[in-house]
Amino acid sequence: MSDLIAGTTQAATAAQWQERYAGALMNTFGAPQRVLVRGEGAYVWDADGRRYLDLLAGIAVNCLGHTHPTLTGAIAAQFNTLGHVSNFFATPTQIALAERLLALAEPGGAPAGSKVFFTNSGTEAIEAAFKLARKHGGQRRPRVLAAEGAFHGRSMGALALTYKSAYKDPFGSLPGGVTHVPFGDAEAIGRELAAGDVAAVVLEPIQGEAGVRLPPPGYLAQVRELTRAAGALLILDEVQTGMGRCGAWMAHHLPEIGGGIVPDAIALAKGLGGGFPVGALVTLGADVSGVFTPGNHGTTFGGNPMAAAAGLATIHVIERDDLLAAVRERGEQLRAGITALPQASGEHALIRGVRGEGLLLGVELTAPIGPAVVTAALEAGFIVNAAAPTVVRLAPPFILSAAQAQDFIDALPAILAAAERATGDAQSNGGAA
């Protein structure tokens, strides 16, 4: 670590960093829960030296944990060789990563003519997908369908596809022509497609931000059949669920989720770079891959050689260390361990169940104490997230060990009890006021 970076991490206490954060950064996220100064494996440390088991992994990003030597080595080696070059030029790492993604996008490889467009983030990949849909549909098919509960990002096009009004209402007119239908209701999609003016359907295989919501069996297969018959694209947002997060390279590869479908396009990001910013839109087949022509779309940093090196290193480690199997094993361990806790049964149960796939899990609660659980978990040394008031999301690194998973399972009863007490105290204080 250079002296410059070391100086920043040792310069102040957590309280001092919080004060400096409030004075220097725009308040778009609220006050940070902690100021983190370093990470190693599945752990991070705050500015006061406290250690936390990271069960959120930067919201499903740090799939290899923190400071994985293969990942950091690949990025450093690339930057020491060639950094940014612009998209007037190509680099070997960019081309190699595109080829690897085409090999992974579908079991057995992507159909002939498939292509990749690199971005810097998931919301950018969705923006590209939105423009792809619009150009595919043209004037005759201007509408795009998305699902209620969907989260596709916060840039203006992605925000139009996102469902939550609180995210959208402050920003006035968004790109029009988006219709939201109930998640998991293929018949509702069929009714909209019947109008003949729909360019594309954009869906998450599992709705992560809405509380790790799974569709009913056969849903995506039905939608695939309907979109194909209607001449509309099926675009899957695998930004959170893809790149191994659910125990397969893509969530729709799981038979119980995808049922063997091949979509027209897949948006990727988060785990793709293992912590380095990179996203991608993968188009499957020659027809959809030919929708964009030179000048239709672009990006300054997309396909940056360092981002591409990070993506290649991440894929290499997942394959070398058989981490897809590890994801499935740790996911089942967490699911079984949590559902076996006393709080998961009986008259006063706080846990309704655990849903999700692989290491994208939602612990369903019987009371809206999710935010209090996050706070209590943090105090106990665990980082989790409340995706909804009654759902605590777990998205740990793929390298999470069995012992580390068990540490959280063992600690969860006390965390839930602390959250329940805190919620009761807050309600009592509110009532008194």
Side-chain angles (χ1 to χ4, degrees), residues 16-29:
Q16 290 169 328
W17 280 120
Q18 291 275 9
E19 184 176 353
R20 289 171 63 177
Y21 178 98
L25 277 90
M26 194 176 290
N27 185 23
T28 55
F29 300 104

Side-chain angles (χ1 to χ4, degrees), residues 102 110-111 113-117 132 264-266 281-285 288-290:
L102 292 176
S114 300
K115 305 291 183 185
V116 176
F117 175 81
L132 184 84
D264 294 299
I266 307 168
L281 179 68
V282 181
T283 51
L284 299 170
V288 68
S289 298

Side-chain angles (χ1 to χ4, degrees), residues 34-134:
R34 295 288 190 274
V35 176
L36 303 176
V37 297
R38 72 181 180 94
E40 182 179 340
Y43 292 107
V44 291
W45 283 260
D46 71 15
D48 288 338
R50 289 195 63 192
R51 190 184 75 170
Y52 304 87
L53 182 61
D54 187 359
L55 298 174
L56 187 59
I59 311 182
V61 167
N62 302 308
C63 57
L64 304 184
H66 300 273
T67 60
H68 192 287
T70 304
L71 180 59
T72 58
I75 295 169
Q78 180 60 55
F79 202 32
N80 281 326
T81 304
L82 182 67
H84 183 71
V85 297
S86 92
N87 282 305
F88 292 125
F89 305 91
T91 65
T93 47
Q94 177 194 54
I95 296 166
L97 180 59
E99 292 171 342
R100 293 296 292 123
L101 288 180
L102 292 176
L104 299 175
E106 293 301 324
S114 300
K115 305 291 183 185
V116 176
F117 175 81
F118 284 117
T119 68
N120 309 296
S121 65
T123 197
E124 261 196 85
I126 292 295
E127 290 289 335
F130 201 154
K131 289 180 68 175
L132 184 84
R134 281 290 175 81

Side-chain angles (χ1 to χ4, degrees), residues 213-283:
R213 297 173 67 204
L214 279 74
Y219 171 62
L220 287 184
Q222 287 180 271
V223 175
R224 174 68 286 187
E225 189 174 327
L226 289 166
T227 50
R228 184 171 288 122
L233 302 180
L234 174 58
I235 299 170
L236 295 185
D237 180 346
E238 293 252 24
V239 167
Q240 185 164 153
T241 56
M243 298 311 298
R245 172 55 58 188
C246 296
W249 281 112
M250 307 293 158
H252 76 271
H253 294 178
L254 298 170
E256 59 273 28
I257 298 293
I261 68 161
V262 177
D264 294 299
I266 307 168
L268 297 171
K270 289 196 180 287
L272 174 55
F276 200 94
V278 56
L281 179 68
V282 181
T283 51

Side-chain angles (χ1 to χ4, degrees), residues 153-205:
R154 296 175 190 261
S155 54
M156 294 298 266
L159 195 57
L161 296 167
T162 293
Y163 181 68
K164 195 172 183 178
S165 296
Y167 294 159
K168 302 163 69 169
D169 289 350
F171 302 102
S173 298
L174 298 172
V178 176
T179 302
H180 288 92
V181 297
F183 181 60
D185 187 345
E187 291 184 1
I189 289 177
R191 288 192 294 273
E192 296 293 338
L193 289 171
D197 60 351
V198 174
V201 178
V202 182
L203 295 172
E204 299 159 278

